[in-house]
Amino acid sequence: MSDEAPVAAEKIEGIVVGVDGSQQSRCALRWAEREAVRRGSVLNIVSAYTIPVFAASSMDAGYSTLDDDLIRGGAEDIVRQARKELENSEATIRTYIESGDPSGVLLDLSKDAELVVVGTRGRGGFVGRLLGSVSSALPAHAKCPTVVVPLAVAKEQEGDAAAAAAAARKSIVVGVDGSDRARAAVLAAADAAIASDLTLRLICAVAPVGAALAWMPATVDQEAVLEDVRYQMSVGVAWLSSHYPTLKIETDVISGPPVEVLIRESEHAVLTVTGSRGRGGFAGMLLGSTSQGVLHHSKGPVMVVPDSDDPRLADRKNFDTRAND
């Protein structure tokens, strides 16, 4: 089901996917459609447009009005094409046209949406829009989780390669660093893993002391750091299992820069999940600083989860015997 004509968005709930006519946004559109079907959520296809600065500043009012009509018409064509591409979808689909900066529009819609999906590094299909700038700005400020879908995923969506690629991806990976922001990401990743009956892999990347002296004191013992990380990971598993008793969980502490580790993991993950702007609890690790690098180089979709006041975060301390001693 869909709206016959695009309308201005007011309050949109469900999944929001931004489209601009690029191949990257088409890739995000197909991913968002499958997710909407899986969740039973409404899929909202949104395109935003702005009048180029030169048009508003150097043309008289008549030409500016004409230019606005032409550009809006281009946005409507993009949305109609996106809707046509999903004409056989089982999802409930609605379409919207918004006037404004794409990042700002999607950020406003994230206040009520359950998920926002965009492509990455996409050059717009009209007026030279860069969807890539949206995929950089939106995850850091959105009020709901944001999924950024790389163009590489498109190759897995067509032909015989799709089945092989899907078979190779059997887990959801989430990066952890001991921060509450990372734990909020873990909860979102656990929800996704349960819904898809997938294994959840908790990954903590620990850079070698010699390579991390910029943020770690030279006196820190590397093995002591690893021991603390492994212990905290075990606490995290016990806490997570108390809320998701049927969840299949794997953990891994990997030596190496977080960005490189998560990019490698993303090659075999259905979804890679990180927190946003998180300051790590393990020897000052910064998970948030890795998210942009992962977003731009991931081999699969990446979900960035914003801060959360989920009450489940508070009871993790009950499983930390060291803190309770």
Side-chain angles (χ1 to χ4, degrees), residues 33 39 47 126 137 153 189 194 203 228 245 260 272 289 312 318:
E33 185 270 338
R39 294 186 181 206
S47 186
F126 68 103
V153 175
I194 284 288
I203 301 296
D228 181 59
E260 294 180 10
T272 302
S289 65
R312 293 176 294 180
N318 298 333

Side-chain angles (χ1 to χ4, degrees), residues 189-209:
D191 287 335
I194 284 288
S196 299
D197 192 26
L198 294 169
T199 298
L200 180 64
R201 278 177 52 76
L202 307 180
I203 301 296
C204 184
V206 180
V209 171

Side-chain angles (χ1 to χ4, degrees), residues 177-233:
D177 67 356
S179 67
D180 278 343
R181 290 187 174 102
R183 290 165 189 155
V186 167
L187 291 173
D191 287 335
I194 284 288
S196 299
D197 192 26
L198 294 169
T199 298
L200 180 64
R201 278 177 52 76
L202 307 180
I203 301 296
C204 184
V206 180
V209 171
L213 293 181
W215 56 264
M216 182 183 289
T219 55
V220 171
D221 181 88
Q222 178 77 5
E223 188 54 41
V225 171
L226 292 175
E227 181 183 354
D228 181 59
V229 169
R230 294 188 187 102
Y231 169 74
Q232 293 298 337
M233 292 276 276

Side-chain angles (χ1 to χ4, degrees), residues 31-42:
W31 190 94
E33 185 270 338
R34 291 197 303 274
E35 186 67 9
V37 171
R38 185 184 68 77
R39 294 186 181 206
S41 301
V42 173

Side-chain angles (χ1 to χ4, degrees), residues 72-322:
R72 182 180 177 85
E76 290 174 346
D77 287 342
I78 285 173
V79 168
R80 290 192 186 97
Q81 182 58 42
R83 181 63 187 91
K84 182 179 180 181
E85 189 167 334
L86 302 181
E87 60 184 353
N88 296 320
S89 174
E90 298 177 2
T92 297
I93 299 175
R94 296 171 183 158
T95 58
Y96 299 88
I97 300 295
E98 284 289 295
S99 175
D101 174 73
S103 295
V105 167
L106 293 176
L107 181 59
D108 285 343
L109 296 179
S110 75
K111 296 175 184 177
D112 299 304
E114 63 181 271
L115 187 70
V116 175
V117 182
V118 294
T120 185
R121 292 184 164 188
R123 183 171 296 277
F126 68 103
V127 298
R129 180 178 304 134
L130 287 174
L131 186 60
S133 64
V134 178
S135 65
S136 294
L138 184 65
H141 303 287
K143 304 303 180 183
C144 71
T146 302
V147 172
V148 179
V149 184
L151 183 59
V153 175
K155 298 177 182 178
E156 300 179 3
Q157 296 175 332
E158 300 176 356
D160 296 337
R169 298 178 181 271
K170 297 181 179 180
S171 64
I172 290 177
V173 167
V174 57
V176 298
D177 67 356
S179 67
D180 278 343
R181 290 187 174 102
R183 290 165 189 155
V186 167
L187 291 173
D191 287 335
I194 284 288
S196 299
D197 192 26
L198 294 169
T199 298
L200 180 64
R201 278 177 52 76
L202 307 180
I203 301 296
C204 184
V206 180
V209 171
L213 293 181
W215 56 264
M216 182 183 289
T219 55
V220 171
D221 181 88
Q222 178 77 5
E223 188 54 41
V225 171
L226 292 175
E227 181 183 354
D228 181 59
V229 169
R230 294 188 187 102
Y231 169 74
Q232 293 298 337
M233 292 276 276
S234 68
V235 171
V237 170
W239 164 67
L240 197 58
S241 296
S242 72
H243 294 289
Y244 300 89
T246 64
L247 178 63
K248 294 171 286 187
I249 304 173
E250 296 178 356
T251 64
D252 205 351
V253 179
I254 302 174
S255 178
V259 172
E260 294 180 10
V261 169
L262 289 177
I263 289 172
R264 286 199 305 269
E265 289 288 328
S266 73
E267 189 170 357
H268 305 291
V270 172
L271 184 67
T272 302
V273 184
T274 74
S276 62
R277 305 185 305 280
R279 182 171 297 279
F282 302 145
M285 258 179 273
L286 288 172
L287 177 63
S289 65
T290 73
S291 59
Q292 288 294 334
V294 175
L295 284 173
H296 292 307
H297 300 286
S298 173
K299 307 301 181 183
V302 177
M303 176 190 287
V304 179
V305 180
D307 293 354
S308 171
D309 56 0
D310 192 309
R312 293 176 294 180
L313 294 174
D315 68 11
R316 184 186 179 280
K317 63 180 181 294
N318 298 333
F319 298 88
D320 189 343
T321 57
R322 291 182 182 177

